[in-house]
Amino acid sequence: MPELSQAQNPNPTVDRMGFLSQELPIAVKAAIDQISVHPSVNGVTTTPSKDNQDNWAIEINMDVPLPRDARDKGITATGVKATEWVKIVFSTSFPAHAPWLFLRADFKRAHPHINPGRPGELVSPCIYEGRLDDLLHEPDWINGIINQLADWLSKAATGELLDCSGQGWEPIRRDSVEGTIVTNIAIIRECMANAKTPISQYLRYEYWQSIVGHSGRIIDENTLYANIGEAIRKFRIGNNGHSPFRSYFSLAIVISGGTKKTIDVYQPDDVDNLEQLLLRAESYGCRLGLENRLKEITENITLPQIEQTLEVTVLFAVKRPCNLIGEDSDIEIIPYGIAFTSDENHRLQLTRTLVFPLVLIQKVSQQLLAETSDRNFDEADRRKEIAMIGCGSLGSKIAIHLARSGHGPFRLYDKDCFSPHNVARHAVANLAAAEFMLPKVWLTETLLTQVGAQITQVKNPLEDVISLLQNKPDLFAKCNGLIIDATASSSVQDALCMVRPKQFGAPLLQVALYGRGTIGFFGLEGKDRNPRVDDLVAQLYQIGLDSSLVGNALYQATNFDRINTGQGCASFSMKMSDAKISLFSAGISERTSQILDADIPVNGELLVGLLTEDGLGVNWLRQPTTKIEILSIGDQSKWELRIPVALKDQMRMETEQRRPLETGGVLIGHINWGRRTIYVTGLLPPPTDSEFRTDEFMLGIQGLKKQISTIEKNTSHTLTYLGTWHSHPNGGGASGKDRGTLAELTRERGNVPSVCLIYRPNGFIAVQGPVTNP
């Protein structure tokens, strides 16, 4: 389009535009008014005009500061003039959407940062790293866009549109492409980076076309062949008879001039025949390598039919002077397709070819998923294994979230099968799988592999994990990421707690939902399994006692919380929507991902999630965790007592406050009969009728029985009275009276375990005697 001068339109005035103001939209008129007074605008050269799509357009001249050596000529070596014509088109949706900007049709397309277009069309500059719509809605409004255009033209004039010090190298511009290729670009780059000399190697390439015409291309980047003979022996070039599509195996050629040869000249793509492809290879320093490979192909490959087509792909690996925009590599991969057609002798001829540009798409990989999920990917991430115990509704969702964030590999354990009711909320939604009741492990494994996750095959994944641990306590010794228990099974928890710390290769994380999906539990063990998950669950029980919000969901379960899923005593499941599980699993997965990417908290981590009243979100409350002190108690029948160091500190403070008198109180907590373990979760203050003396503490009884009864009722007997504690502020062992107190307590409580604990400045001691009445 010819440039319009002010002389051709001597009166480009606001009055002239005002003549059309009744028809011109107010927003467009306001924009034109701002544009006309912009310092870089040398006049609006046309009156606003409307096209047949109701878009309004104006044409302006913009002053461009030229380098000193180009001022006399009025044009730079890069083809930029001192005054550049610009067309601005306002769509009917303006100002919701930004206007389109066009330069003259003969503006050089060799510049970087130009939007794709065809020769002869107006040139569309890419002036902003982002959406122009967003720039328009910044405070500068239309001036912000004109500022960016002026800056773009100024840099085009000086050849500074490529900013290696800041933005990076712009990839080659393709004004038209014939298709895409899916491959792992990082592996091809690594192949070039590791090569000491220029490379010219073959890869296996497959392209296909469905019966409706949809096509696809994929390169197996893990199949490098040094020569064509090796490639032909490894796979059959031509039709892929095993594919349901019209699929063909062929060759891709990776070729480069080596890492020592940097190509710092920006060239937009203009290749559409073999000779131009060879010239482009020459500019990249690898023409000879390409010619040799093409010669090998024509000499060694024949096709079954005459006039049959075989597509070969050429991948130029080009080293740039800086990293590509938005990437951490300075190697650009530039693909082209070459379509050969067989002659009457079934052979391929270089004179019977079509060449066309292609675009590379990054194959699904851990790195791609991690970066898309806003994670900083590290090579060590590929080796952080996650053991998922329980592939049910919650476990499957956590696993798929982690896999989509680039975590893995996974090892899966679950003995249950997929039942029809699982379709309501499992990550797998498969009617046939439900009707045939396929194992959840199989279905979850398929789900994870579909997003590119790696699966570590294990022996007997369908066997009960409790039995597996009995036969092989070091089952998870090689797991170095996380061990996640999502079974919500107390028996599985007990089995996991029996494993010694050295037999776990990674920390154990237990997750569960309670109260129809209104409460979430996230318990991560500390270093050396202290605190352990059962300690964190015991702490949750105490939180349920202290908080009615948690307690109501934790302890007030009824038969109405269950749904019958079949006939039989075990045919029930908790009522809970898929949306609730998804809300909780998202938060659990996000925090799990953060932990996998960082150092494991030394003291573990306890998070309790509360569904908001409107059901729109989850509030996660972080609870303090401390080390656990472990005591062996009892005479012949040994029990284990586990008490948080935080409660020990509370006893210390109360002892110091009463010194030199003895003090004490009541222990409450949880009893695990199967594992003969007692968990102290809280302390009750001494009743008001207690007596404090220098040589004795006498625990009162006023209101104590009622207080304990209330605790047991409110927690459905999950928490109960465990016994007493008292202090020896000056040290010393248990007295005869202490032993008598324990014996009396044991007789009164019958077969319920009873504890008598003494706090001393130098540590706990448990009064010796039977824990239960024989």
Side-chain angles (χ1 to χ4, degrees):
M1 180 175 292
E3 179 179 341
L4 296 176
S5 66
Q6 293 243 17
Q8 291 173 299
N9 187 13
N11 297 305
T13 63
V14 174
D15 290 337
R16 174 74 179 186
M17 289 186 290
F19 178 75
L20 298 174
S21 62
Q22 292 181 353
E23 186 178 4
L24 191 66
I26 294 175
V28 175
K29 181 181 183 304
I32 294 174
D33 288 344
Q34 280 200 11
I35 292 170
S36 64
V37 296
H38 191 280
S40 296
V41 174
N42 188 11
V44 178
T45 63
T46 61
T47 58
S49 59
K50 187 192 294 187
D51 62 19
N52 53 11
Q53 281 84 38
D54 291 332
N55 300 318
W56 286 91
I58 60 167
E59 298 170 13
I60 65 173
N61 285 332
M62 290 193 68
D63 290 333
V64 182
L66 301 186
R68 180 175 301 176
D69 58 356
R71 291 173 187 170
D72 292 340
K73 295 181 180 179
I75 188 170
T76 69
T78 59
V80 180
K81 299 179 180 179
T83 301
E84 282 291 347
W85 174 90
V86 180
K87 183 176 183 179
I88 305 176
V89 179
F90 301 90
S91 70
T92 55
S93 61
F94 180 84
H97 294 102
W100 299 305
L101 307 177
F102 298 100
L103 305 176
R104 51 191 166 86
D106 59 349
F107 193 92
K108 283 192 175 181
R109 291 181 175 273
H111 291 282
H113 300 299
I114 288 179
N115 292 312
R118 297 177 180 177
E121 295 179 342
L122 297 181
V123 173
S124 171
C126 181
I127 64 170
Y128 181 64
E129 188 179 7
R131 289 165 48 90
L132 275 186
D133 295 342
D134 296 334
L135 179 61
L136 178 66
H137 289 84
E138 293 293 319
D140 283 342
W141 198 48
I142 197 69
N143 273 343
I145 292 178
I146 302 303
N147 289 340
Q148 288 292 127
L149 177 60
D151 183 65
W152 189 96
L153 286 169
S154 176
K155 289 178 178 177
T158 56
E160 296 176 339
L161 281 173
L162 273 176
D163 179 17
C164 272
S165 62
Q167 191 180 34
W169 185 271
E170 183 187 9
I172 188 170
R173 187 182 74 251
R174 273 31 218 282
D175 292 333
S176 64
V177 294
E178 299 297 325
T180 59
I181 307 175
V182 176
T183 191
N184 192 323
I185 302 172
I187 292 180
I188 297 176
R189 284 173 169 160
E190 185 179 359
C191 171
M192 175 181 172
N194 293 337
K196 296 181 180 179
T197 57
I199 61 173
S200 175
Q201 295 178 304
Y202 293 107
L203 298 169
R204 188 171 71 173
Y205 169 56
E206 183 177 2
Y207 62 100
W208 54 270
Q209 189 170 27
S210 69
I211 57 175
V212 295
H214 186 68
S215 62
R217 298 170 175 84
I218 185 168
I219 291 175
D220 184 355
E221 65 284 336
N222 292 306
T223 58
L224 277 175
Y225 303 109
N227 57 72
I228 195 169
E230 182 183 1
I232 293 174
R233 286 193 300 272
K234 293 291 185 180
F235 63 94
R236 180 181 177 183
I237 295 177
N239 290 15
N240 178 8
H242 299 291
S243 173
F245 307 105
R246 287 190 296 168
S247 178
Y248 307 88
F249 283 135
S250 187
L251 296 171
I253 309 170
V254 180
I255 186 166
S256 81
T259 55
K260 294 182 180 180
K261 186 176 181 60
T262 299
I263 309 299
D264 58 2
V265 177
Y266 183 83
Q267 295 174 285
D269 178 45
D270 59 0
V271 173
D272 61 7
N273 59 57
L274 187 59
E275 184 53 40
Q276 289 179 346
L277 183 68
L278 292 169
L279 290 174
R280 183 55 57 96
E282 185 174 347
S283 70
Y284 295 152
C286 53
R287 174 165 181 158
L288 180 60
L290 177 60
E291 288 178 333
N292 289 338
R293 291 309 190 192
L294 293 177
K295 184 173 182 290
E296 288 178 347
I297 288 173
T298 57
E299 291 178 350
N300 291 275
I301 296 177
T302 58
L303 297 179
Q305 301 175 13
I306 298 174
E307 298 296 322
Q308 183 178 346
T309 301
L310 181 71
E311 186 176 302
V312 172
T313 294
V314 175
L315 304 175
F316 291 119
V318 182
K319 181 175 173 57
R320 296 303 190 181
C322 58
N323 287 351
L324 277 67
I325 295 175
E327 300 194 46
D328 59 358
S329 174
D330 60 357
I331 298 176
E332 183 177 3
I333 309 299
I334 305 171
Y336 293 91
I338 305 177
F340 289 88
T341 302
S342 59
D343 60 14
E344 64 276 7
N345 297 316
H346 303 265
R347 303 192 68 84
L348 305 181
Q349 300 289 342
L350 293 179
T351 55
R352 295 167 60 87
T353 59
L354 294 175
V355 176
F356 47 91
L358 297 168
V359 171
L360 282 184
I361 300 294
Q362 177 65 48
K363 182 184 288 187
V364 173
S365 66
Q366 278 188 279
Q367 183 171 351
L368 175 66
L369 295 175
E371 292 175 351
T372 305
S373 301
D374 196 22
R375 285 184 53 231
N376 293 323
F377 183 77
D378 188 274
E379 274 303 312
D381 292 343
R382 300 188 194 275
R383 299 181 292 276
K384 285 186 179 179
E385 190 176 70
I386 300 169
M388 180 62 66
I389 309 169
C391 299
S393 300
L394 181 60
S396 65
K397 281 183 165 59
I398 293 171
I400 193 64
H401 281 314
L402 293 175
R404 283 176 168 159
S405 295
H407 291 290
F410 294 83
R411 54 170 64 200
L412 307 175
Y413 299 88
D414 199 313
K415 65 183 178 62
D416 291 337
C417 292
F418 194 79
S419 296
H421 75 276
N422 291 133
V423 175
R425 56 197 189 202
H426 200 279
V428 173
N430 190 316
L431 184 62
E435 292 177 345
F436 284 97
M437 299 189 70
L438 298 179
K440 291 179 180 178
V441 162
W442 294 0
L443 298 173
T444 305
E445 179 178 332
T446 301
L447 183 70
L448 297 181
T449 55
Q450 286 175 346
V451 298
Q454 298 296 315
I455 304 296
T456 301
Q457 297 302 319
V458 299
K459 292 182 179 180
N460 307 316
L462 306 182
E463 189 174 338
D464 186 4
V465 74
I466 300 173
S467 302
L468 291 173
L469 286 170
Q470 288 175 343
N471 297 323
K472 187 175 173 53
D474 61 348
L475 182 66
F476 301 112
K478 294 183 179 180
C479 178
N480 63 343
L482 272 180
I483 305 164
I484 303 176
D485 173 20
T487 61
S489 167
S490 298
S491 57
V492 171
Q493 174 186 293
D494 283 350
L496 290 167
C497 288
M498 296 292 288
V499 179
R500 296 195 304 272
K502 291 184 179 180
Q503 293 174 321
F504 272 177
L508 175 63
L509 168 64
Q510 184 171 306
V511 294
L513 303 182
Y514 302 96
R516 294 188 177 186
T518 57
I519 298 292
F521 171 77
F522 181 106
L524 177 69
E525 292 187 342
K527 184 179 179 182
D528 297 325
R529 305 205 69 189
N530 190 333
R532 214 166 50 191
V533 290
D534 51 338
D535 300 313
L536 299 175
V537 171
Q539 186 176 345
L540 175 67
Y541 295 153
Q542 182 67 35
I543 294 170
L545 174 63
D546 299 335
S547 166
S548 58
L549 281 176
V550 177
N552 289 340
L554 200 59
Y555 297 125
Q556 306 305 318
T558 68
N559 288 335
F560 294 104
D561 294 333
R562 298 177 176 181
I563 178 175
N564 290 327
T565 61
Q567 296 181 357
C569 297
S571 298
F572 63 84
S573 180
M574 183 186 293
K575 292 181 179 179
M576 194 185 313
S577 72
D578 178 70
K580 287 180 180 177
I581 296 178
S582 297
L583 278 173
F584 281 98
S585 66
I588 290 171
S589 302
E590 187 66 20
R591 182 57 189 144
T592 302
S593 178
Q594 293 170 4
I595 288 171
L596 284 164
D597 288 342
D599 294 330
I600 304 296
V602 174
N603 290 328
E605 190 166 271
L606 175 57
L607 304 174
V608 179
L610 304 177
L611 186 71
T612 58
E613 189 174 346
D614 56 14
L616 296 179
V618 177
N619 290 326
W620 286 96
L621 308 177
R622 188 180 300 277
Q623 306 297 322
T625 57
T626 65
K627 291 281 189 179
I628 303 297
E629 188 151 332
I630 305 166
L631 300 174
S632 179
I633 59 176
D635 286 342
Q636 298 176 356
S637 179
K638 293 296 183 182
W639 282 66
E640 183 177 87
L641 179 75
R642 302 178 70 86
I643 180 169
V645 171
L647 293 183
K648 180 181 179 181
D649 291 340
Q650 184 179 335
M651 292 178 183
R652 176 182 56 79
M653 288 187 291
E654 293 182 17
T655 298
E656 291 301 317
Q657 289 173 359
R658 288 284 183 177
R659 180 184 290 275
L661 306 178
E662 290 189 6
T663 187
V666 174
L667 305 173
I668 62 169
H670 177 69
I671 301 170
N672 185 318
W673 284 87
R675 295 188 45 247
R676 309 182 73 79
T677 304
I678 298 173
Y679 305 88
V680 181
T681 63
L683 307 178
L684 296 183
T688 55
D689 58 338
S690 300
E691 298 180 18
F692 307 86
R693 302 171 186 165
T694 56
D695 61 347
E696 183 182 28
F697 168 72
M698 295 290 292
L699 182 70
I701 61 171
Q702 187 172 342
L704 183 58
K705 186 175 182 179
K706 181 179 179 181
Q707 189 176 11
I708 293 171
S709 177
T710 300
I711 290 174
E712 291 178 339
K713 179 181 178 182
N714 290 344
T715 65
S716 300
H717 288 266
T718 302
L719 297 181
T720 187
Y721 170 62
L722 300 177
T724 65
W725 77 276
H726 68 277
S727 66
H728 285 184
N730 298 318
S735 64
K737 189 162 187 176
D738 292 335
R739 287 188 288 272
T741 300
L742 176 61
E744 182 181 354
L745 184 62
T746 303
R747 284 193 300 271
E748 288 179 356
R749 287 171 58 77
N751 195 37
V752 180
S754 302
V755 179
C756 187
L757 202 59
I758 298 174
Y759 173 80
R760 306 171 304 168
N762 58 338
F764 282 126
I765 61 170
V767 177
Q768 294 181 351
V771 173
T772 59
N773 190 28

